[in-house]
Amino acid sequence: MLAEAGFDIAHAFDTARVAELAPALAAKRRGILVGNTRALWAPFRAACARELAGAADPLERYTEAVVARAFPGAPVWFAHRRHDGAFLPFQRIAAAAGLGVLAPTQLVIHPVYGPWFALRAIALVDGEPPTESAPPRVPCCSGDCPARLDAALRSGGDWRAWLAVRDACAVGRAYRYSDEQIAYHYTKNRALLG
């Protein structure tokens, strides 16, 4: 169900691995970190045409609806929402859970997708957690990463400067989002959804 809706990352992990970062996640031992690659774009746009045209935050509403259907009644934390007044540190959780490594740019780098994926939610489910596995081996970003990060920090919020940080990573280039998807994620320009 998640993959059909474009959420093609469902990474099971032992919540004990992230207890220091998010104590609330220790309510159950098995967590599912939900995310997406570029696979999200087509199903999301189709949902916008069908039912989300008037939503104030269509991607957030779409994420919440799909995750609720996939994990009925499960405790869920969303990356776009504050929980007890703060956002969960999703990037650090993803790294601790073994989904990828946290680069100096603060992007999580997946061994296949590189930086071309998004973290959307964590659901707590019944069952035993997966057995401990070795952290993924991911090559570091190019030597250009620190300079691009510095330029983005000085850019005054220019989304193209932040895109340049992501583009500096050599891992996962084949999974780069389409230009439309990139522009929507950075600008929220609803004209790109039509």
Side-chain angles (χ1 to χ4, degrees):
M1 166 184 223
L2 286 170
E4 291 172 1
F7 297 97
D8 53 340
I9 296 174
H11 179 78
F13 67 97
D14 185 339
T15 60
R17 293 177 72 179
V18 302
E20 285 184 27
L21 298 170
L25 297 181
K28 293 192 178 194
R29 287 289 311 277
R30 183 177 177 90
I32 308 292
L33 185 55
V34 177
N36 65 272
T37 65
R38 64 184 179 184
L40 174 74
W41 191 238
F44 169 58
R45 286 185 70 207
C48 285
R50 284 191 318 271
E51 63 208 52
L52 296 170
D57 297 303
L59 182 55
E60 287 80 4
R61 298 299 77 79
Y62 181 69
T63 300
E64 291 172 5
V66 170
V67 171
R69 283 193 305 269
F71 302 104
V76 176
W77 287 260
F78 292 99
H80 63 267
R81 280 197 187 172
R82 291 180 189 270
H83 301 277
D84 294 327
F87 293 102
L88 288 185
F90 267 73
Q91 289 89 343
R92 293 182 10 214
I93 290 170
L99 180 64
V101 296
L102 191 60
T105 60
Q106 299 306 300
L107 293 171
V108 177
I109 309 300
H110 186 274
V112 174
Y113 307 123
W116 296 105
F117 70 99
L119 303 167
R120 300 290 176 192
I122 296 171
L124 299 183
V125 297
D126 293 328
E128 290 299 310
T131 57
E132 192 95 9
S133 61
R137 295 185 49 85
V138 180
C140 187
C141 289
S142 72
D144 200 19
C145 288
R148 289 191 188 192
L149 177 60
D150 186 53
L153 290 169
R154 289 183 289 109
S155 75
D158 179 2
W159 70 269
R160 288 172 188 84
W162 288 104
L163 174 60
V165 174
R166 196 172 296 268
D167 273 335
C169 187
V171 180
R173 287 185 199 257
Y175 293 91
R176 188 179 193 269
Y177 297 170
S178 70
D179 290 343
E180 276 188 340
Q181 186 174 4
I182 289 169
Y184 178 76
H185 286 308
Y186 280 106
T187 68
K188 303 296 185 230
N189 180 351
R190 295 175 75 103
L192 297 165
L193 298 177

